[in-house]
Tab-separated table of all heavy atoms in Angstrom:
chain	number	residue	atom	x	y	z
A	1	GLY	N	106.326	115.588	122.283
A	1	GLY	CA	107.245	114.888	123.169
A	1	GLY	C	107.894	115.755	124.224
A	1	GLY	O	108.791	115.297	124.944
A	2	ALA	N	107.487	117.010	124.349
A	2	ALA	CA	108.063	117.898	125.358
A	2	ALA	C	107.564	117.541	126.745
A	2	ALA	O	106.478	116.977	126.913
A	2	ALA	CB	107.721	119.356	125.034
A	3	GLU	N	108.335	117.917	127.752
A	3	GLU	CA	107.943	117.701	129.139
A	3	GLU	C	107.066	118.851	129.616
A	3	GLU	O	107.331	120.018	129.322
A	3	GLU	CB	109.183	117.585	130.029
A	3	GLU	CG	110.014	116.341	129.753
A	3	GLU	CD	111.241	116.241	130.634
A	3	GLU	OE1	111.537	117.228	131.362
A	3	GLU	OE2	111.907	115.195	130.606
A	4	ILE	N	106.025	118.493	130.371
A	4	ILE	CA	105.112	119.452	130.979
A	4	ILE	C	105.272	119.323	132.491
A	4	ILE	O	105.314	118.210	133.020
A	4	ILE	CB	103.651	119.155	130.573
A	4	ILE	CG1	103.530	119.011	129.060
A	4	ILE	CG2	102.722	120.238	131.101
A	4	ILE	CD1	103.896	120.231	128.263
A	5	THR	N	105.327	120.444	133.188
A	5	THR	CA	105.613	120.412	134.619
A	5	THR	C	104.539	121.139	135.424
A	5	THR	O	104.056	122.196	135.011
A	5	THR	CB	106.983	121.073	134.913
A	5	THR	OG1	107.977	120.482	134.079
A	5	THR	CG2	107.382	120.866	136.357
A	6	ASP	N	104.168	120.542	136.548
A	6	ASP	CA	103.329	121.190	137.571
A	6	ASP	C	101.966	121.640	137.041
A	6	ASP	O	101.419	122.649	137.478
A	6	ASP	CB	104.067	122.395	138.173
A	6	ASP	CG	105.319	121.976	138.938
A	6	ASP	OD1	105.448	120.778	139.248
A	6	ASP	OD2	106.164	122.838	139.211
A	7	LEU	N	101.386	120.857	136.145
A	7	LEU	CA	100.126	121.265	135.530
A	7	LEU	C	98.956	121.217	136.508
A	7	LEU	O	97.911	121.831	136.263
A	7	LEU	CB	99.835	120.371	134.313
A	7	LEU	CG	98.963	120.970	133.209
A	7	LEU	CD1	99.587	122.239	132.651
A	7	LEU	CD2	98.729	119.960	132.104
A	8	GLU	N	99.131	120.524	137.628
A	8	GLU	CA	98.043	120.434	138.610
A	8	GLU	C	97.807	121.753	139.338
A	8	GLU	O	96.752	121.947	139.953
A	8	GLU	CB	98.328	119.324	139.634
A	8	GLU	CG	99.505	119.569	140.557
A	8	GLU	CD	100.830	119.065	139.998
A	8	GLU	OE1	101.004	119.051	138.760
A	8	GLU	OE2	101.703	118.705	140.813
A	9	PHE	N	98.774	122.675	139.259
A	9	PHE	CA	98.649	123.930	139.997
A	9	PHE	C	97.959	124.987	139.128
A	9	PHE	O	98.612	125.772	138.440
A	9	PHE	CB	100.016	124.408	140.474
A	9	PHE	CG	100.643	123.475	141.469
A	9	PHE	CD1	101.783	122.749	141.149
A	9	PHE	CD2	100.077	123.303	142.721
A	9	PHE	CE1	102.352	121.885	142.065
A	9	PHE	CE2	100.633	122.433	143.644
A	9	PHE	CZ	101.776	121.716	143.318
A	10	VAL	N	96.646	124.976	139.176
A	10	VAL	CA	95.834	125.946	138.455
A	10	VAL	C	95.279	126.943	139.472
A	10	VAL	O	94.598	126.563	140.422
A	10	VAL	CB	94.676	125.267	137.702
A	10	VAL	CG1	93.805	126.307	136.997
A	10	VAL	CG2	95.216	124.256	136.697
A	11	GLN	N	95.584	128.191	139.256
A	11	GLN	CA	95.157	129.223	140.204
A	11	GLN	C	93.730	129.653	139.911
A	11	GLN	O	93.387	129.973	138.775
A	11	GLN	CB	96.092	130.423	140.098
A	11	GLN	CG	95.863	131.471	141.151
A	11	GLN	CD	96.864	132.599	141.038
A	11	GLN	OE1	96.692	133.510	140.246
A	11	GLN	NE2	97.931	132.516	141.823
A	12	PHE	N	92.916	129.622	140.948
A	12	PHE	CA	91.549	130.121	140.861
A	12	PHE	C	91.518	131.495	141.522
A	12	PHE	O	91.832	131.623	142.709
A	12	PHE	CB	90.575	129.155	141.537
A	12	PHE	CG	90.279	127.947	140.695
A	12	PHE	CD1	91.232	126.955	140.523
A	12	PHE	CD2	89.062	127.816	140.051
A	12	PHE	CE1	90.977	125.851	139.735
A	12	PHE	CE2	88.792	126.706	139.256
A	12	PHE	CZ	89.748	125.724	139.089
A	13	HIS	N	91.175	132.514	140.744
A	13	HIS	CA	91.132	133.863	141.294
A	13	HIS	C	89.963	133.946	142.265
A	13	HIS	O	88.843	133.531	141.943
A	13	HIS	CB	90.963	134.895	140.176
A	13	HIS	CG	91.335	136.280	140.597
A	13	HIS	ND1	90.575	137.019	141.479
A	13	HIS	CD2	92.403	137.052	140.279
A	13	HIS	CE1	91.164	138.184	141.681
A	13	HIS	NE2	92.263	138.240	140.953
A	14	PRO	N	90.174	134.490	143.464
A	14	PRO	CA	89.120	134.444	144.480
A	14	PRO	C	87.977	135.428	144.247
A	14	PRO	O	86.902	135.255	144.839
A	14	PRO	CB	89.863	134.777	145.774
A	14	PRO	CG	91.076	135.536	145.342
A	14	PRO	CD	91.455	134.981	144.005
A	15	THR	N	88.180	136.445	143.423
A	15	THR	CA	87.128	137.456	143.276
A	15	THR	C	86.770	137.650	141.810
A	15	THR	O	87.281	138.547	141.139
A	15	THR	CB	87.541	138.798	143.914
A	15	THR	OG1	88.799	139.218	143.366
A	15	THR	CG2	87.657	138.664	145.422
A	16	VAL	N	85.896	136.784	141.331
A	16	VAL	CA	85.344	136.892	139.984
A	16	VAL	C	83.856	137.209	140.137
A	16	VAL	O	83.172	136.641	140.991
A	16	VAL	CB	85.548	135.582	139.205
A	16	VAL	CG1	84.858	135.615	137.846
A	16	VAL	CG2	87.051	135.323	139.036
A	17	LEU	N	83.373	138.128	139.350
A	17	LEU	CA	81.992	138.580	139.475
A	17	LEU	C	81.027	137.416	139.296
A	17	LEU	O	81.071	136.705	138.291
A	17	LEU	CB	81.706	139.669	138.440
A	17	LEU	CG	80.377	140.418	138.562
A	17	LEU	CD1	80.315	141.179	139.880
A	17	LEU	CD2	80.200	141.372	137.380
A	18	TRP	N	80.162	137.191	140.294
A	18	TRP	CA	79.184	136.106	140.235
A	18	TRP	C	77.971	136.571	139.440
A	18	TRP	O	77.316	137.553	139.784
A	18	TRP	CB	78.758	135.690	141.642
A	18	TRP	CG	77.809	134.530	141.671
A	18	TRP	CD1	78.122	133.214	141.488
A	18	TRP	CD2	76.403	134.563	141.907
A	18	TRP	NE1	76.999	132.424	141.593
A	18	TRP	CE2	75.925	133.229	141.847
A	18	TRP	CE3	75.500	135.598	142.163
A	18	TRP	CZ2	74.589	132.911	142.030
A	18	TRP	CZ3	74.162	135.280	142.348
A	18	TRP	CH2	73.722	133.939	142.283
A	19	LEU	N	77.681	135.849	138.366
A	19	LEU	CA	76.574	136.226	137.477
A	19	LEU	C	75.391	135.277	137.571
A	19	LEU	O	74.413	135.440	136.852
A	19	LEU	CB	77.071	136.277	136.028
A	19	LEU	CG	78.217	137.255	135.739
A	19	LEU	CD1	78.630	137.162	134.281
A	19	LEU	CD2	77.825	138.681	136.102
A	20	GLY	N	75.511	134.270	138.424
A	20	GLY	CA	74.451	133.280	138.526
A	20	GLY	C	74.948	131.910	138.088
A	20	GLY	O	75.925	131.790	137.353
A	21	ASP	N	74.281	130.884	138.543
A	21	ASP	CA	74.729	129.516	138.284
A	21	ASP	C	74.642	129.114	136.822
A	21	ASP	O	75.286	128.150	136.400
A	21	ASP	CB	73.891	128.530	139.117
A	21	ASP	CG	74.163	128.673	140.613
A	21	ASP	OD1	75.293	129.072	140.964
A	21	ASP	OD2	73.246	128.409	141.409
A	22	LEU	N	73.866	129.818	136.039
A	22	LEU	CA	73.677	129.419	134.641
A	22	LEU	C	74.729	129.998	133.707
A	22	LEU	O	74.784	129.637	132.537
A	22	LEU	CB	72.273	129.844	134.165
A	22	LEU	CG	71.098	129.221	134.913
A	22	LEU	CD1	69.786	129.731	134.338
A	22	LEU	CD2	71.150	127.696	134.843
A	23	TYR	N	75.559	130.887	134.209
A	23	TYR	CA	76.547	131.531	133.353
A	23	TYR	C	77.829	130.700	133.310
A	23	TYR	O	78.284	130.177	134.330
A	23	TYR	CB	76.868	132.937	133.848
A	23	TYR	CG	75.790	133.948	133.524
A	23	TYR	CD1	74.678	134.097	134.355
A	23	TYR	CD2	75.878	134.741	132.386
A	23	TYR	CE1	73.686	135.023	134.060
A	23	TYR	CE2	74.890	135.663	132.086
A	23	TYR	CZ	73.799	135.800	132.924
A	23	TYR	OH	72.818	136.712	132.625
A	24	GLY	N	78.426	130.603	132.134
A	24	GLY	CA	79.690	129.901	131.967
A	24	GLY	C	80.581	130.668	131.018
A	24	GLY	O	80.269	131.773	130.588
A	25	GLY	N	81.736	130.049	130.667
A	25	GLY	CA	82.677	130.705	129.775
A	25	GLY	C	83.465	131.772	130.497
A	25	GLY	O	83.715	131.694	131.702
A	26	GLN	N	83.879	132.814	129.765
A	26	GLN	CA	84.681	133.864	130.366
A	26	GLN	C	83.842	134.721	131.296
A	26	GLN	O	82.781	135.208	130.933
A	26	GLN	CB	85.308	134.745	129.283
A	26	GLN	CG	86.277	135.776	129.853
A	26	GLN	CD	86.929	136.633	128.791
A	26	GLN	OE1	86.580	136.546	127.615
A	26	GLN	NE2	87.879	137.461	129.190
A	27	GLN	N	84.344	134.902	132.529
A	27	GLN	CA	83.640	135.666	133.548
A	27	GLN	C	84.406	136.956	133.867
A	27	GLN	O	85.641	136.985	133.779
A	27	GLN	CB	83.506	134.838	134.827
A	27	GLN	CG	82.881	133.477	134.616
A	27	GLN	CD	81.405	133.562	134.285
A	27	GLN	OE1	80.601	134.002	135.085
A	27	GLN	NE2	81.053	133.150	133.086
A	28	PRO	N	83.717	138.025	134.274
A	28	PRO	CA	84.404	139.289	134.574
A	28	PRO	C	85.245	139.192	135.846
A	28	PRO	O	84.777	138.732	136.885
A	28	PRO	CB	83.250	140.287	134.759
A	28	PRO	CG	82.044	139.631	134.155
A	28	PRO	CD	82.249	138.161	134.340
A	29	LEU	N	86.475	139.636	135.748
A	29	LEU	CA	87.393	139.629	136.881
A	29	LEU	C	87.229	140.906	137.699
A	29	LEU	O	87.029	141.988	137.149
A	29	LEU	CB	88.836	139.531	136.363
A	29	LEU	CG	89.967	139.590	137.390
A	29	LEU	CD1	89.931	138.359	138.280
A	29	LEU	CD2	91.311	139.692	136.673
A	30	VAL	N	87.301	140.764	139.013
A	30	VAL	CA	87.381	141.917	139.910
A	30	VAL	C	88.776	141.881	140.525
A	30	VAL	O	89.057	141.094	141.421
A	30	VAL	CB	86.292	141.881	140.998
A	30	VAL	CG1	86.393	143.124	141.885
A	30	VAL	CG2	84.906	141.793	140.369
A	31	SER	N	89.638	142.712	140.018
A	31	SER	CA	91.071	142.636	140.314
A	31	SER	C	91.378	142.620	141.808
A	31	SER	O	90.698	143.247	142.623
A	31	SER	CB	91.786	143.824	139.675
A	31	SER	OG	93.125	143.912	140.115
């Protein structure tokens, strides 16, 4: 019953290592 706020604001990091279209799950971050 708790209130949740601003859940639509999900940040997508702009520089994540591209491994190909078939890869999913946790991806390597390039800080």
